[in-house]
Amino acid sequence: MKRTDKLRRERELKRAQKKEDRIQKGDSGEQELTIGDYINNLYSLFFHDAEKIYNINQSEEILELLEDMKDNIPEEKWDTVIRKAVKKAQIKSREEAVKQLLSLLTSS
């Protein structure tokens, strides 16, 4: 068997193992959210226009998502998630929104 054939078989085995792991993780019922999922979920909860986000302090869903994020992702990624979600909203007062969200995250 040629070296390329061995490498190809190894790649196929890794893919099969990765697929099996994903299926088992999905069968456990609860699937962990990725950082991208947190960004998209946080963005979807925002009520905003071109100027600012209005529901940061009033929304219970945002607070729950921040609590969940606090439990499931490392602290050094919190800033990234918040900044990217706010950037996705395309508002003018980004820094104000980021500061409000970070203060909610650290105070709770």
Side-chain angles (χ1 to χ4, degrees), residues 3-16:
R3 179 174 177 252
T4 55
D5 292 336
K6 287 181 184 179
L7 292 173
R8 182 176 40 82
R9 287 188 72 207
E10 286 177 14
R11 284 193 306 270
E12 288 172 357
L13 286 172
K14 284 181 185 178
R15 282 189 204 121

Side-chain angles (χ1 to χ4, degrees), residues 42-80:
L42 186 59
Y43 165 71
S44 69
L45 294 175
F46 291 155
F47 177 71
H48 63 90
D49 61 8
E51 297 295 322
K52 69 181 224 171
I53 299 171
Y54 294 101
N55 66 332
I56 291 176
N57 294 323
Q58 295 89 7
S59 176
E60 193 67 33
E61 291 93 9
I62 290 176
L63 191 58
E64 289 173 4
L65 184 66
L66 291 176
E67 288 291 329
D68 188 39
M69 187 174 82
K70 201 182 219 184
D71 294 337
N72 294 326
I73 62 172
E75 188 173 347
E76 59 268 5
K77 300 289 182 180
W78 297 351
D79 189 54
T80 303

Side-chain angles (χ1 to χ4, degrees), residues 17-99:
Q17 181 64 38
K18 194 172 189 180
K19 184 177 180 180
E20 186 178 317
D21 290 344
R22 249 185 289 137
I23 290 171
Q24 286 178 353
K25 189 181 265 190
D27 289 343
S28 68
E30 192 172 316
Q31 195 171 4
E32 285 190 37
L33 295 175
T34 64
I35 291 176
D37 293 334
Y38 280 110
I39 293 168
N40 292 332
N41 291 346
L42 186 59
Y43 165 71
S44 69
L45 294 175
F46 291 155
F47 177 71
H48 63 90
D49 61 8
E51 297 295 322
K52 69 181 224 171
I53 299 171
Y54 294 101
N55 66 332
I56 291 176
N57 294 323
Q58 295 89 7
S59 176
E60 193 67 33
E61 291 93 9
I62 290 176
L63 191 58
E64 289 173 4
L65 184 66
L66 291 176
E67 288 291 329
D68 188 39
M69 187 174 82
K70 201 182 219 184
D71 294 337
N72 294 326
I73 62 172
E75 188 173 347
E76 59 268 5
K77 300 289 182 180
W78 297 351
D79 189 54
T80 303
V81 170
I82 289 173
R83 287 189 182 281
K84 286 190 178 188
V86 170
K87 183 177 180 181
K88 194 171 184 177
Q90 297 178 347
I91 59 172
K92 290 183 181 177
S93 59
R94 286 184 188 158
E95 280 304 313
E96 179 185 335
V98 168
K99 286 177 186 176

